[in-house]
Structures are given as C-alpha cells and as structure tokens.
Amino acid sequence: MKAINIHFFSPTENQQPTAKAEKAAKPAKLLLTGYISSVGKLVLPAKTVAHLGVDLSKTGFKVGMDEGKRKAKSLYLVPSSSDAETFTFEKAAKSYTLALPFILTKSGVDFAKTKYDFTIRLFEFEGTTAFALQLAPEAAAVKVPYTGKPRGRKPRQASDAE
C-alpha cells in the first residue's frame, strides 16, 4: 500500500478571518476645468468655482500670458485689489464668465472655429494664489459612417420592359 500525504487542519483555520485595517481614503484630486465660448468668453462652471475658494463676483483679476510668446498656450489670472486694469467675472446661469475676445484674438486663440478647453492650476504669485489656465483645443470627434440598414424609399429600378 502507498503512503498517503495528508494535510491536517488546525483550529485557527476554522475561524472567520479577521478584517484587515482599512486604509484612509485619499481625497480625489479634482481636475478644475473650464472652456472658451464661441464669442470669446472664459467660462468657469459652478462646480469649478466652488472648489477655487475665491468669490469671483467681488474679486478683480489681472489677465496675462507668457512674455515674449506670440501664441497663448496658457493664460494667468492674478487677483488684484486695485480697480485699475482689472477684469471682473460676470455671473451667468450656472457659471461665471470673463469676456476677453480681443485679447484672445491677438494672442492667436481662434475661438470662433475651434472650441478650447482649459485646466486650472493654482500657483503662488507675489503672495497671492493665482490661476494658470492651460489652453488645449478640443479634439473633434470623428464621425463614424452609418453602416446600418438603409432607410427611406428604395431607389427606383430602371425597367427592361420598354
């Protein structure tokens, strides 16, 4: 007779496994976004404004871009207390808007033909928290040709019996 290898269980294997200590969930890193409308307004949705921590209706901003660049790849909004040379956001239905059509056109942003989205990055500028808007043209969705059943009337067949 062959020798049989047997695995014997211990009493601890017959107990319910203890729950492991759960890790504290990290807060999800929010991606603050907005877009440029077809008339040249920077649009910040209400969800984005809620996470910025700034009252846009009462704060004036200086608007700038990288010096020495012809085409704007990013815009900078720096809060300013003085009223001279500042821009203010206007409250829209579900967002805040800042009209900059001429500045955007001079900076090489063709908002009329291409929709631009931007992501907002917070940075420190001269002791205040400022916003850097990283511009990116929205990729146009490629339209897939229709391959389903043809709709409508069938094309008229040329008859051979004439």
Side-chain angles (χ1 to χ4, degrees):
M1 188 167 173
K2 281 186 173 180
I4 300 173
N5 292 334
I6 301 174
H7 170 72
F8 293 100
F9 297 102
S10 68
T12 58
E13 290 178 309
N14 196 29
Q15 294 176 356
Q16 187 174 9
T18 57
K20 294 181 181 179
E22 293 183 21
K23 295 180 182 177
K26 293 181 182 178
K29 182 162 178 136
L30 279 169
L31 186 62
L32 302 174
T33 59
Y35 64 94
I36 298 176
S37 71
S38 61
V39 292
K41 291 183 179 181
L42 299 179
V43 180
L44 298 177
K47 290 180 182 179
T48 301
V49 173
H51 295 291
L52 286 178
V54 176
D55 187 9
L56 295 180
S57 59
K58 297 178 183 175
T59 309
F61 289 91
K62 289 183 179 180
V63 178
M65 66 178 259
D66 293 319
E67 195 169 337
K69 302 282 185 182
R70 284 192 208 168
K71 192 165 183 175
K73 293 192 176 170
S74 57
L75 292 173
Y76 300 101
L77 300 177
V78 179
S80 178
S81 58
S82 64
D83 288 335
E85 298 183 4
T86 60
F87 297 89
T88 55
F89 278 89
E90 295 177 10
K91 177 81 173 110
K94 295 181 181 178
S95 61
Y96 281 87
T97 61
L98 180 64
L100 299 172
F102 300 111
I103 292 173
L104 292 172
T105 304
K106 288 178 188 176
S107 302
V109 178
D110 189 11
F111 52 82
K113 294 181 182 175
T114 308
K115 184 173 181 182
Y116 282 86
D117 292 331
F118 55 82
T119 56
I120 301 173
R121 184 178 47 87
L122 302 175
F123 70 99
E124 195 71 25
F125 183 79
E126 296 180 356
T128 61
T129 302
F131 310 123
L133 311 178
Q134 188 70 37
L135 300 178
E138 186 178 80
V142 177
K143 187 174 180 182
V144 179
Y146 181 71
T147 58
K149 182 178 179 182
R151 304 288 178 203
R153 289 188 170 186
K154 292 184 179 179
R156 190 171 188 180
Q157 299 289 331
S159 61
D160 293 330
E162 282 188 23

